[in-house]
């Protein structure tokens, strides 16, 4: 069996159970894509079309790999090397307002989407989605932390029988965001 990322991908493609409900991904051949890009003229990174249209495969690969102002992988690599001169353990952080970061995330996400037969998104759409992730994570974490603290109060008070499993359920015909049920009794099969 082949080692490395290529071997892992090929092994996963061979596991038929993974692809019963989803289309099997199609790996991209970057050499073939780059060969087909002969004569390709990229969109101007300062144009509205660059930001608000879904890039075709050539533009996506160009932004991901090629050497122009929007070349995300190269720009981020150079930035990381520069930061590591001062701090060898530093890592890059994502900022949706940082052009190379947004270009990299858009290109990488759209390359993956193409492999998995998912609709690609424009750079503007990706920026909008990325802007919603941090508040959503913070809100969810706050809800869960609050539920854990309330449960901890019951445990500290010795009222373990009053503890319940609580679930956050959103959407559908539900009338409550939170629902709870008593703990299930221990399984007789566990020892």
């Amino acid at each position: 069996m082949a080692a490395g990322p290529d071997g892992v991908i090929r092994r996963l493609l061979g596991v038929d159970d993974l692809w019963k409900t989803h289309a099997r991904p199609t790996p991209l051949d970057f050499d073939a894509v780059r060969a087909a890009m002969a004569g390709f003229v990229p969109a101007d990174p300062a144009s509205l079309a660059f930001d608000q249209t879904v890039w075709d495969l050539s533009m996506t690969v160009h932004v991901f790999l090629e050497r122009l102002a929007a070349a995300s992988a190269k720009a981020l690599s150079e930035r990381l090397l520069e930061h590591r001169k001062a701090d060898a353990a530093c890592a890059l952080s994502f900022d949706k307002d940082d052009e190379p970061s947004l270009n990299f995330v858009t290109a990488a996400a759209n390359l993956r989407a193409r492999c998995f037969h998912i609709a690609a998104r424009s750079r503007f759409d990706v920026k909008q989605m990325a802007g919603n992730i941090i508040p959503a994570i913070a809100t969810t974490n706050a809800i869960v932390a609050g539920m854990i603290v309330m449960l901890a109060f019951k445990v500290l008070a010795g009222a373990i029988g009053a503890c319940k499993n609580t679930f956050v359920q959103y959407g559908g015909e539900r009338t409550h965001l939170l629902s709870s049920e008593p703990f299930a009794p221990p399984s007789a099969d566990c020892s």
Side-chain angles (χ1 to χ4, degrees), residues 7-137:
V8 171
I9 292 168
R10 295 203 186 285
R11 181 178 54 79
L12 289 175
L13 284 172
V15 180
D16 292 333
D17 287 347
L18 291 175
W19 314 115
K20 286 182 178 178
T21 59
H22 303 295
R24 192 177 304 270
T26 307
L28 291 175
D29 181 348
F30 273 104
D31 293 332
V33 171
R34 291 179 92 180
M37 288 173 61
F40 168 73
V41 178
D44 178 6
S47 72
L48 193 59
F50 183 78
D51 196 48
Q52 296 192 356
T53 60
V54 176
W55 301 334
D56 63 10
L57 182 58
S58 294
M59 188 65 191
T60 302
V61 170
H62 187 73
V63 170
F64 190 72
L65 294 177
E66 299 300 325
R67 296 174 184 247
L68 85 159
S72 56
K74 182 178 185 302
L76 292 174
S77 295
E78 289 172 353
R79 183 183 300 165
L80 180 61
L81 291 174
E82 187 63 32
H83 289 331
R84 288 212 168 150
K85 289 178 184 175
D87 178 7
C90 80
L92 293 178
S93 60
F94 174 75
D95 179 358
K96 69 179 178 58
D97 295 320
D98 177 58
E99 296 297 315
S101 295
L102 183 58
N103 289 341
F104 177 82
V105 169
T106 302
N110 283 340
L111 288 171
R112 183 181 184 281
R114 184 176 195 88
C115 292
F116 283 87
H117 315 287
I118 301 168
R121 300 296 182 135
S122 72
R123 189 171 169 270
F124 179 81
D125 290 337
V126 171
K127 183 175 185 174
Q128 188 176 22
M129 284 185 262
N132 291 332
I133 291 171
I134 300 302
I137 291 171

Side-chain angles (χ1 to χ4, degrees), residues 135-157:
I137 291 171
T139 303
T140 303
N141 286 348
I143 291 170
V144 172
M147 290 189 299
I148 290 170
V149 168
M150 296 304 293
L151 191 62
F153 283 143
K154 291 177 184 177
V155 170
L156 291 173

